[in-house]
């Protein structure tokens, strides 16, 4: 639409056309006499007005108008089956918001007003587009954003794209399409889908991690880390996938193969860039306490950081003659009090001492085991349920506490990256050690007795604290028998430090962050290596951004060299300071890099001079509400917190933490699938017997053939056959993905938004059910017809509303303010489903009223607007307002109307209570008596009787005294 068309669309029509429209649309024209006409009421009429507004109304144009009306009638026919015309309303208001930049947050804002920064974990724009699970969190944040705008807050609600990463590169390799083109196409698709759902994002602040103007500052942050010794290179064992030609993170490896493609993954040492996140371990741990995060998320981070206090203990390796040599194995233990129970040592397969201690006879077996272990990820190796495996080294070590010789084993359940890569195994008091000892026939010695002796049967391992037993030695002089665990541990630490056999130690599970990928599609690392010395030199900040070169071949090199090494002219560089020839770093940053700090760039996305303006950062920080999936509860949030703390230390940000409140929305599962079981002969078998009979065949049963019976589902035709009812996570492979585009087309965006919020609590997982969305769609249709009126015979709706300017009744005010109070309270508490229920109750009550006062309906429309913004905007326009309601004040509940206005009044007949009636607190004696007379239960005592007198205490009691001559003694 060009500028002239835009201007015409939002201007009143020329007067001659208005006269003609009175003839064509007499009812609508008369209604518009009372208010300013806004041609955005229907898309069809707008386009019609644009074509004829400058025409002279003559006979020929009259004929064209007649033809236009025929087209209008044909286009309106499908509306007859719709609850309300969402197909017209929603695209129109989405265009209006776009053209008017309704939700733009200005760069210069009134900082005296309160702020609200609400953020979604920005998505990776995959080629598959959105499914209905994605909008769950987005709808929640949009409701909060719209609500806070209406409460007078400056709201920051942006959207962007986490667009670097392996999937786009793999697609490029498979199809020959440049990942830039794939990414741009996917972003367009995602953006279009998000806009179709009416989310109030400030699209002027849209960012992509692949934009050089964005990753310039990602590179700048890396340089700050490098300056402070927080970025370094080291030779470390990594998950190397030869087929993909890159290092994979632990979470990208499943069962020894890459999550993407299913290619074999091995462990191999490589020189890699690392970030020293461990330097911030204590601060990352301590600052969790002050965050408004789910306790489960905080606990996951605490466990991932894994701070523990214990001791490092030295064990001397014995030579072939059983004498102590020059090699010591250092182990870390959190339970030094169990040292007397250590009956063997375990080294990780990658431990640096293996070549020095493995016997000649065992060397081949150890090498084979190392090869097998290299194909497993750290997560697989440490899984508690897996069977323990290992191999004997052929050597022994001395336990200095008791002088015993104990065997040294190699096992993959010990990681080289944790502690020292070696443990003292105490099988009586550690489940993994116990399983291993039983498998390989290693002695088990109990050295801790539970305080409650009934807890210890000396058969199963006991890992708790208690009293030390079997823990003394005349050889070492150490005796901790009968001491509580903590006291015994302190005494052992004191002994190892005194004898030179170890020291007190604080340890962490957290490892430094592996920060290099052998990929093309990622941020280049701003470092060069001098040709003559191979010294790494950081590039000056003035050189940023270091942009990716154009490549046609993204395939792995097969040598371990990253694809960027193929860009020969790009790799060649010159040191800007010394002028020496150099080569660029050809590894790229991991996908995590760009997502670590994007929340800051949204505050100031166009700043070319600094990462973020200090004034803007001080106003908007921290993010007030951050919503995303629980799968990011550890790594993304931990990495973001680490970078934020570094930026805090160098004065870029003003807060210690980036996200004040984190909410993990639940997932939406596909519709329930019903499976019937058949035995190998094809006979139907009830699901009750599945575990007993073992192997069975399953077949999917249509929902209409299944019925609920108690807590289970059974076949309608054979209730003795219980079927399996199960909902799965949406995936293409299961064929249970629901495309939001299809839902919007059939029910409208407002219905999808409302349904996803109505399904249940935001944080819970929920099962998609199409009949459920039909229910909320009917509710929106009822709300529409309540305010606009019933459809006309041709299925269309009148222009205005049925609201009148009468003063509302006390009942209507109470009903409204009860709804206001509930909706506002539930939005604040992110209990959106119960807020919708309150609006449903209001609509049910309003249908019983004879008249709809405008003030009541306008307030209800404002309540509805955060949930169903398209419908609310349309109704607001029809109520006579020319501007969007996005910044209208959200209604406030008046406490006066929230008080219970009725009381239960006991009614006595001749002093005996015969029943109760519901009356207003201000009810008079006469009104109370009338209500009692009309009550079915009480009226039988009064019919035909003479009233001698009435005793009325307002709000307390009504006592009716009858003439004794007319009173029956009792029932006969």
């Amino acid at each position: 639409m060009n500028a002239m068309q835009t201007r015409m669309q939002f201007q009143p029509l020329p007067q001659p056309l208005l006269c003609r429209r009175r003839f064509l649309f007499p009812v609508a024209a008369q209604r518009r006499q009372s208010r300013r006409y806004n041609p955005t009421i229907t898309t069809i009429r707008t386009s019609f007005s644009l074509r004829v507004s400058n025409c002279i109304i003559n006979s020929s144009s009259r004929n064209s108008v007649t033809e236009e009306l025929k087209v209008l009638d044909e286009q309106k026919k499908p509306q007859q089956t719709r609850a309300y015309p969402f197909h017209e309303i929603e695209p129109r208001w989405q265009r209006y918001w776009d053209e008017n930049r309704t939700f733009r947050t200005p760069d210069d804002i009134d900082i005296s007003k309160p702020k609200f920064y609400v953020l979604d974990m920005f998505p990776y724009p995959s080629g598959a587009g959105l499914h209905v699970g994605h909008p769950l969190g987005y709808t929640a944040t949009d409701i909060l954003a719209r609500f806070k705008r209406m409460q007078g807050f400056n709201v920051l609600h942006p959207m962007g794209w986490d667009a670097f990463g392996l999937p786009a590169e793999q697609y490029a390799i498979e199809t020959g399409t440049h990942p830039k083109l794939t990414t741009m196409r996917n972003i367009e698709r995602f953006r279009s889908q998000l806009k179709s759902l009416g989310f109030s994002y400030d699209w002027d602040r849209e960012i992509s991690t692949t934009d050089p103007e964005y990753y310039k500052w990602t590179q700048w942050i890396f340089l700050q880390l490098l300056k402070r010794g927080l970025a370094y290179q080291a030779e470390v064992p990594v998950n190397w996938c030869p087929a993909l030609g890159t290092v994979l993170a632990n979470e990208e490896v499943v069962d020894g193969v890459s999550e993407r493609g299913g290619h074999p993954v091995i462990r191999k040492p490589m020189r890699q860039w690392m970030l020293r996140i461990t330097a911030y371990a204590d601060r990352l741990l301590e600052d969790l306490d002050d965050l408004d995060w789910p306790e489960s998320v905080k606990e996951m981070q605490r466990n991932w950081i894994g701070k523990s206090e214990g001791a490092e203990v030295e064990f001397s390796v014995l030579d072939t003659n059983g004498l102590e040599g020059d090699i010591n194995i250092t182990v870390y233990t959190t339970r030094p009090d169990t040292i007397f129970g250590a009956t063997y040592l375990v080294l990780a397969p990658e431990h640096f001492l293996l070549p020095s201690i493995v016997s000649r006879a065992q060397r081949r077996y150890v090498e084979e085991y190392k090869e097998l272990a290299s194909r497993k990820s750290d997560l697989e190796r440490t899984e508690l349920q897996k069977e323990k495996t290992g191999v004997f080294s052929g050597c022994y070590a001395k336990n200095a506490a008791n002088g015993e010789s104990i065997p040294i084993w190699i096992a993959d359940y010990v990681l080289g990256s944790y502690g020292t890569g070696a443990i003292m195994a105490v099988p009586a008091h550690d489940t993994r050690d116990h399983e291993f000892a039983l498998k390989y026939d290693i002695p088990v010695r109990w050295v801790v007795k539970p305080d409650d002796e009934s807890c210890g049967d000396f058969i199963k391992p006991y890992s708790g604290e208690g009293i030390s037993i079997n823990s003394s030695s005349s050889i070492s002089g150490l005796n901790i028998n009968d001491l509580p665990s903590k006291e015994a541990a302190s005494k052992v630490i004191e002994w190892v430090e005194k004898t030179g056999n170890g020291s007190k130690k604080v340890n962490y599970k957290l490892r430094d962050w592996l920060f290099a990928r052998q990929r093309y599609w990622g941020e280049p690392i701003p470092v060069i290596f001098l040709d003559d010395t191979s010294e790494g030199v950081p590039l000056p900040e003035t050189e940023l951004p270091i942009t990716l070169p154009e490549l046609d071949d993204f395939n792995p090199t097969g040598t371990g060299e990253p694809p960027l090494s193929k860009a020969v002219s790009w790799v060649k560089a010159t040191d800007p300071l010394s002028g020496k020839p150099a080569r660029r770093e050809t590894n790229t940053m991991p996908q995590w890099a760009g997502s670590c700090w994007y929340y800051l760039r949204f505050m100031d996305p166009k700043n070319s001079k600094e990462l973020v303006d200090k004034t803007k950062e001080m106003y908007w920080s921290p993010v007030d509400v951050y919503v995303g999936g629980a799968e990011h509860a550890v790594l993304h949030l931990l990495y973001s917190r680490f970078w934020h703390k570094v930026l805090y230390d160098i004065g870029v940000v003003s807060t210690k933490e980036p996200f004040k409140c984190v909410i993990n929305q639940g997932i939406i599962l596909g519709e329930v699938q019903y499976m019937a079981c058949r035995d190998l002969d094809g006979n139907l078998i009830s699901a009750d017997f599945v575990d007993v009979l073992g192997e069975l065949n399953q077949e999917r049963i249509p929902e209409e053939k299944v019925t609920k019976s108690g807590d289970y589902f059974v076949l309608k035709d054979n209730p003795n056959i219980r079927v399996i009812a199960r909902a799965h996570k949406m995936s293409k492979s299961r064929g249970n993905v629901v495309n939001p585009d299809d839902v919007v087309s059939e029910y409208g965006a407002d219905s999808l938004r409302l349904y996803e919020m109505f399904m249940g609590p935001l944080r819970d997982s929920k099962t998609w059910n199409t009949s459920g969305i039909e229910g909320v769609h009917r509710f929106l249709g009822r709300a529409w017809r309540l305010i606009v009126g019933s459809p006309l015979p041709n299925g269309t709706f009148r222009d205005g509303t049925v609201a009148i300017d009468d003063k509302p009744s006390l009942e209507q005010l109470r009903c409204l303010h009860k709804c206001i109070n509930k909706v506002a309270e539930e939005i604040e508490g992110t209990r959106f489903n119960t807020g919708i229920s309150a609006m449903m109750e209001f609509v049910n009550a309003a249908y019983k009223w004879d008249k709809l006062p405008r003030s009541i309906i306008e307030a209800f429309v404002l309540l509805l607007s955060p949930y169903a913004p398209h419908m609310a905007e349309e109704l607001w326009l029809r109520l006579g307002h020319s501007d969007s309601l996005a910044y209208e004040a959200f209604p406030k509940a008046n406490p006066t109307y929230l008080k219970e206005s009725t009381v239960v009044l006991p009614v006595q007949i001749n002093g005996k209570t015969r029943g109760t009636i519901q009356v207003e607190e201000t009810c008079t004696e006469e009104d109370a008596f009338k209500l009692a007379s009309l009550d079915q239960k009480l009226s039988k005592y009064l019919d035909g009787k003479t009233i001698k007198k009435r005793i009325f205490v307002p709000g307390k009691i009504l006592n009716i005294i009858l003439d004794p001559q007319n009173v029956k003694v009792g029932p006969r």
Side-chain angles (χ1 to χ4, degrees):
M1 185 177 288
N2 59 35
M4 178 61 73
Q5 288 174 319
T6 304
R7 188 160 58 250
M8 291 172 64
Q9 183 176 359
F10 295 100
Q11 294 297 321
L13 290 173
Q15 190 61 36
L17 184 58
L18 283 176
C19 295
R20 169 57 58 185
R21 287 179 67 86
R22 287 195 193 101
F23 172 75
L24 298 174
F25 308 106
V27 176
Q30 291 171 18
R31 186 179 295 110
R32 293 191 194 96
Q33 296 287 343
S34 61
R35 63 179 176 88
R36 170 185 164 190
Y37 169 64
N38 189 323
T40 62
I41 286 181
T42 64
T43 304
I44 297 171
R45 288 177 183 166
T46 297
S47 60
F48 170 70
S49 69
L50 291 175
R51 285 194 293 275
V52 302
S53 59
N54 292 323
C55 297
I56 300 172
I57 304 300
N58 51 33
S59 58
S60 60
S61 63
R62 191 175 293 120
N63 292 334
S64 66
V65 168
T66 304
E67 291 299 315
E68 189 78 27
L69 287 176
K70 290 180 181 179
V71 174
L72 287 175
D73 290 337
E74 288 299 315
Q75 290 178 339
K76 288 179 180 178
K77 284 181 181 178
Q79 287 188 16
Q80 296 175 11
T81 61
R82 290 190 169 98
Y84 69 98
F86 62 84
H87 64 296
E88 292 180 1
I89 294 169
E90 293 180 353
R92 179 167 63 251
W93 282 105
Q94 288 162 19
R95 285 195 301 272
Y96 175 88
W97 294 329
D98 255 356
E99 292 166 1
N100 291 274
R101 299 162 79 193
T102 303
F103 307 113
R104 179 176 177 269
T105 304
D107 291 328
D108 299 320
I109 56 174
D110 180 3
I111 61 174
S112 66
K113 292 174 63 177
K115 66 92 179 179
F116 185 70
Y117 185 0
V118 57
L119 183 65
D120 299 292
M121 293 185 185
F122 68 173
Y124 177 81
S126 69
L130 298 174
H131 63 65
V132 293
H134 293 109
L136 180 65
Y138 302 157
T139 303
T141 58
D142 193 60
I143 291 171
L144 290 170
R146 290 176 178 273
F147 175 64
K148 290 295 183 180
R149 282 191 201 98
M150 297 172 77
Q151 286 189 320
F153 285 72
N154 288 325
V155 172
L156 183 56
H157 186 37
M159 175 51 72
W161 318 104
D162 186 13
F164 273 130
L166 186 58
E169 185 156 336
Q170 282 303 110
Y171 185 80
I173 292 170
E174 293 164 8
T175 64
T177 308
H178 197 286
K180 181 192 297 183
L181 299 177
T182 305
T183 300
M184 289 174 61
R185 182 171 63 241
N186 293 347
I187 287 175
E188 288 289 337
R189 169 117 171 95
F190 264 64
R191 187 192 300 114
S192 172
Q193 287 185 297
L194 291 176
K195 286 189 174 184
S196 75
L197 294 170
F199 297 132
S200 61
Y201 294 123
D202 178 0
W203 288 106
D204 284 0
R205 292 176 182 258
E206 178 184 1
I207 59 176
S208 169
T209 56
T210 62
D211 182 352
E213 289 305 307
Y214 178 83
Y215 68 70
K216 165 186 177 178
W217 297 105
T218 309
Q219 293 171 337
W220 181 87
I221 295 173
F222 179 85
L223 291 177
Q224 311 316 306
L225 293 165
L226 195 58
K227 288 177 187 176
R228 286 155 181 80
L230 296 171
Y232 65 95
Q233 284 192 300
E235 188 98 353
V236 294
V238 296
N239 301 316
W240 172 253
C241 179
L244 296 178
T246 188
V247 170
L248 299 178
N250 285 332
E251 63 274 7
E252 296 172 319
V253 182
V254 179
D255 297 329
V257 298
S258 62
E259 185 180 33
R260 183 173 179 83
H263 305 294
V265 176
I266 62 173
R267 297 282 288 179
K268 65 180 279 188
M270 292 183 68
R271 192 159 185 80
Q272 298 286 297
W273 282 102
M274 309 290 292
L275 297 189
R276 209 179 301 275
I277 190 174
T278 50
Y280 282 74
D282 281 327
R283 288 168 62 182
L284 289 168
L285 195 60
E286 293 162 3
D287 292 344
L288 281 170
D289 295 338
D290 298 327
L291 296 177
D292 180 16
W293 290 18
E295 194 55 41
S296 59
V297 172
K298 294 199 284 187
E299 194 58 30
M300 280 191 279
Q301 293 218 354
R302 291 187 186 105
N303 292 337
W304 191 267
I305 295 168
K307 182 178 180 179
S308 60
E309 296 183 359
E312 283 189 347
V313 182
E314 302 283 347
F315 288 77
S316 296
V317 178
L318 303 178
D319 61 22
T320 54
N321 297 317
L323 301 175
E324 295 183 52
D326 297 330
I327 301 175
N328 288 335
I329 296 174
T330 304
V331 306
Y332 172 75
T333 176
T334 59
R335 292 293 302 273
D337 58 304
T338 64
I339 191 169
F340 285 94
T343 57
Y344 65 104
L345 298 184
V346 182
L347 272 61
E350 57 272 19
H351 198 285
F352 74 97
L353 283 178
L354 284 190
S356 305
I357 66 171
V358 174
S359 69
R360 182 176 300 175
Q362 291 294 108
R363 192 170 302 279
R364 178 168 65 90
Y365 305 111
V366 171
E367 290 301 320
E368 289 174 356
Y369 186 78
K370 285 174 61 178
E371 172 65 21
L372 290 173
S374 73
R375 300 184 181 278
K376 300 178 184 178
S377 70
D378 289 354
L379 295 177
E380 291 175 277
R381 286 170 56 177
T382 55
E383 185 182 355
L384 294 177
Q385 283 72 32
K386 83 176 190 74
E387 183 182 358
K388 305 300 180 289
T389 63
V391 61
F392 178 46
S393 70
C395 292
Y396 293 81
K398 178 183 177 181
N399 184 343
N402 54 18
E404 291 182 358
S405 297
I406 57 176
I408 303 171
W409 285 75
I410 294 94
D412 64 7
Y413 74 88
V414 175
L415 302 178
S417 58
Y418 177 65
T420 64
I423 67 165
M424 66 176 204
V426 184
H429 304 290
D430 182 274
T431 302
R432 296 182 309 168
D433 296 346
H434 189 261
E435 292 175 8
F436 191 91
L438 292 183
K439 181 174 181 177
Y440 293 104
D441 198 23
I442 301 172
V444 178
R445 180 183 298 124
W446 271 263
V447 294
V448 178
K449 179 178 67 175
D451 293 325
D452 180 1
E453 292 193 27
S454 63
C455 295
D457 53 14
F458 296 113
I459 296 175
K460 297 178 181 178
Y462 172 69
S463 59
E465 295 183 349
I467 303 298
S468 294
I469 58 173
N470 303 323
S471 298
S472 67
S473 171
S474 58
I475 297 174
S476 65
L478 179 62
N479 182 1
I480 56 173
N481 275 333
D482 301 323
L483 294 180
S485 295
K486 283 188 169 58
E487 189 177 337
S490 297
K491 190 168 182 179
V492 172
I493 293 172
E494 183 182 335
W495 174 79
V496 296
E497 289 184 330
K498 184 178 180 180
T499 59
N501 287 309
S503 60
K504 187 175 183 179
K505 180 74 173 179
V506 175
N507 201 33
Y508 301 88
K509 287 183 181 177
L510 180 67
R511 310 315 321 150
D512 280 346
W513 177 7
L514 179 63
F515 197 73
R517 296 291 185 270
Q518 290 68 47
R519 300 175 187 163
Y520 166 72
W521 196 233
E523 299 93 333
I525 295 173
V527 172
I528 58 174
F529 298 92
L530 302 179
D531 286 353
D532 56 355
T533 64
S534 294
E535 177 191 355
V537 177
L539 287 168
E541 294 173 12
T542 53
E543 295 280 314
L544 305 181
I546 310 302
T547 57
L548 283 170
E550 293 293 329
L551 273 185
D552 296 324
D553 180 10
F554 316 104
N555 286 286
T557 60
T559 63
E561 283 290 310
L564 275 179
S565 62
K566 298 178 182 180
V568 178
S569 59
W570 181 84
V571 172
K572 289 182 179 179
T574 302
D575 180 11
L577 298 179
S578 66
K580 292 181 179 180
R583 67 187 189 283
R584 294 188 189 277
E585 171 62 80
T586 53
N587 286 302
T588 53
M589 300 184 196
Q591 185 177 350
W592 299 103
S595 63
C596 275
W597 71 279
Y598 71 106
Y599 60 93
L600 292 171
R601 193 61 177 174
F602 278 136
M603 301 175 186
D604 194 14
K606 303 296 191 294
N607 195 330
S608 61
K609 296 181 179 179
E610 55 187 336
L611 185 148
V612 60
D613 177 79
K614 286 184 171 57
T615 303
K616 293 177 181 178
E617 185 279 325
M618 289 180 70
Y619 178 73
W620 288 114
S621 286
V623 175
D624 294 283
V625 176
Y626 191 34
V627 177
E631 65 272 19
H632 301 300
V634 177
L635 295 182
H636 163 60
L637 291 176
L638 199 63
Y639 293 157
S640 293
R641 295 179 63 221
F642 166 46
W643 277 32
H644 191 89
K645 290 181 183 300
V646 174
L647 294 174
Y648 175 77
D649 290 347
I650 64 177
V652 175
V653 298
S654 58
T655 61
K656 291 182 179 180
E657 289 286 337
F659 313 118
K660 181 179 178 183
C661 172
V662 166
I663 296 174
N664 294 136
Q665 84 272 15
I667 61 173
I668 294 182
L669 303 172
E671 291 202 71
V672 174
Q673 295 180 353
Y674 303 94
M675 308 297 292
C677 302
R678 293 184 183 273
D679 61 22
L680 298 181
D681 295 327
N683 301 310
L684 282 169
I685 299 294
S686 179
D688 301 293
F689 304 110
V690 169
D691 294 336
V692 178
L693 297 177
E695 185 177 352
L696 295 171
N697 296 316
Q698 294 185 4
E699 66 178 67
R700 191 167 176 180
I701 302 297
E703 184 177 3
E704 58 270 18
K705 293 187 176 182
V706 174
T707 186
K708 188 83 181 287
S709 176
D711 295 332
Y712 302 106
F713 289 89
V714 298
L715 293 178
K716 284 182 179 178
D717 295 340
N718 188 351
N720 292 322
I721 301 296
R722 180 164 74 84
V723 299
I724 299 170
R726 186 177 299 144
H728 299 275
K729 188 174 181 180
M730 289 188 182
S731 67
K732 283 185 178 179
S733 61
R734 291 191 179 275
N736 63 350
V737 172
V738 180
N739 189 328
D741 298 349
D742 298 335
V743 179
V744 169
S745 175
E746 186 169 357
Y747 298 102
D750 284 345
S751 293
L752 175 59
R753 291 167 60 108
L754 210 67
Y755 175 55
E756 297 217 347
M757 294 298 97
F758 192 59
M759 291 171 76
L762 175 63
R763 296 159 179 81
D764 292 357
S765 293
K766 296 160 279 281
T767 303
W768 180 268
N769 188 329
T770 302
S771 62
I773 195 168
E774 290 171 351
V776 296
H777 184 66
R778 286 194 297 271
F779 160 68
L780 287 176
R782 291 191 75 222
W784 173 267
R785 294 189 298 276
L786 171 72
I787 298 170
V788 174
S790 299
L792 301 174
N794 66 350
T796 63
F797 292 88
R798 70 190 75 191
D799 283 350
T801 69
V802 298
I804 59 175
D805 293 325
D806 281 14
K807 185 178 179 181
S809 68
L810 185 61
E811 177 197 352
Q812 290 171 327
L813 287 169
R814 284 175 176 150
C815 185
L816 171 67
H817 284 268
K818 181 181 177 182
C819 185
I820 292 172
N821 185 62
K822 185 67 173 177
V823 171
E825 188 178 80
E826 301 306 82
I827 292 178
E828 290 280 11
T830 63
R831 297 179 294 271
F832 305 111
N833 54 323
T834 47
I836 296 170
S837 296
M839 289 188 285
M840 289 178 170
E841 290 174 10
F842 174 87
V843 169
N844 288 339
Y847 261 96
K848 300 173 184 177
W849 301 339
D850 295 331
K851 298 178 180 178
L852 292 177
R854 183 179 303 276
S855 60
I856 298 290
I857 293 305
E858 286 187 345
F860 173 71
V861 168
L862 294 175
L863 293 182
L864 182 65
S865 64
Y867 289 89
H870 305 89
M871 176 185 282
E873 289 274 23
E874 182 72 13
L875 293 173
W876 192 249
L877 175 68
R878 287 167 173 264
L879 285 163
H881 302 278
S882 57
D883 295 324
S884 167
L885 54 64
Y887 295 91
E888 291 291 327
F890 197 85
K892 292 183 179 180
N894 187 333
T896 303
Y897 300 120
L898 299 179
K899 297 176 182 177
E900 286 296 331
S901 59
T902 60
V903 295
V904 176
L905 187 72
V907 178
Q908 294 182 343
I909 307 296
N910 289 340
K912 185 172 183 178
T913 302
R914 296 294 187 179
T916 61
I917 55 175
Q918 194 93 5
V919 300
E920 295 287 333
E921 285 182 339
T922 56
C923 180
T924 64
E925 179 183 329
E926 191 59 37
D927 289 337
F929 179 71
K930 286 181 180 178
L931 288 171
S933 301
L934 295 172
D935 185 87
Q936 185 177 2
K937 184 178 179 181
L938 295 170
S939 61
K940 66 182 180 181
Y941 295 101
L942 304 176
D943 290 347
K945 308 298 186 297
T946 302
I947 308 298
K948 186 176 181 181
K949 68 174 181 176
R950 299 191 301 240
I951 302 171
F952 177 67
V953 180
K956 298 295 183 181
I957 198 168
L958 171 64
N959 188 4
I960 304 172
I961 308 299
L962 304 178
D963 189 329
Q965 296 179 2
N966 294 320
V967 178
K968 295 178 181 179
V969 176
R972 295 179 181 176

